[in-house]
């Protein structure tokens, strides 16, 4: 399994909008892609905005390609999300699972 991590700094006043976008748009779309397992939204308030880390878990790198395209490290950030952000990662980080407990 592979975990895909992306971080963005959202405008404080748009934080709820961003979470709603992830829940109703992004995660809905991901759920239809074979190999997608689950997603998490992590957040913390910092001085200039709300920082989010979005973590998606996949069966394999090949499955991620259906979402990201051939450049697996390129972040997928729709225009509507870019407008909510102060800054965001243009590249994502992938981790292989070494151990997990449920």
């Amino acid at each position: 399994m592979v975990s895909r991590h992306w971080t963005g700094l959202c405008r404080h006043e748009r934080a709820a909008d961003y979470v709603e976008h992830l829940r109703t748009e992004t995660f809905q779309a991901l759920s239809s892609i074979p190999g997608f397992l689950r997603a998490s939204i992590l957040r913390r308030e910092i001085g200039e905005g709300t920082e989010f880390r979005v973590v998606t878990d996949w069966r394999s790198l090949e499955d991620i390609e259906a979402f990201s395209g051939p450049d697996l490290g390129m972040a997928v950030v729709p225009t509507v999300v870019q407008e909510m952000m102060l800054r965001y990662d243009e590249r994502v980080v992938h981790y292989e699972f070494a151990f997990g407990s449920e």
Side-chain angles (χ1 to χ4, degrees):
M1 288 193 321
V2 179
S3 186
R4 179 179 170 95
H5 294 233
W6 176 86
T7 302
L9 183 63
C10 187
R11 302 172 192 285
H12 282 300
E13 67 275 9
R14 299 298 308 273
D17 297 332
Y18 180 57
V19 171
E20 184 67 12
H21 172 81
L22 287 173
R23 287 180 53 260
T24 62
E25 301 290 330
T26 303
F27 296 166
Q28 290 288 336
L30 292 179
S31 68
S32 68
I33 299 174
F36 171 74
L37 301 173
R38 66 185 152 267
S40 301
I41 306 168
L42 307 174
R43 70 181 284 168
R44 68 182 183 136
E45 299 299 325
I46 62 175
E48 57 189 315
T50 304
E51 183 180 76
F52 287 98
R53 173 154 303 184
V54 179
V55 179
T56 56
D57 296 333
W58 301 80
R59 202 174 37 211
S60 70
L61 288 172
E62 292 77 20
D63 293 323
I64 293 172
E65 189 173 356
F67 169 64
S68 70
D71 184 353
L72 298 178
M74 181 65 67
V76 178
V77 187
T79 302
V80 66
V81 171
Q82 293 176 25
E83 294 168 355
M84 296 178 197
M85 297 292 153
L86 295 168
R87 63 180 175 272
Y88 56 87
D89 294 345
E90 294 183 12
R91 308 286 299 170
V92 301
V93 178
H94 295 105
Y95 296 90
E96 291 183 17
F97 276 82
F99 172 80
S101 67
E102 303 248 349

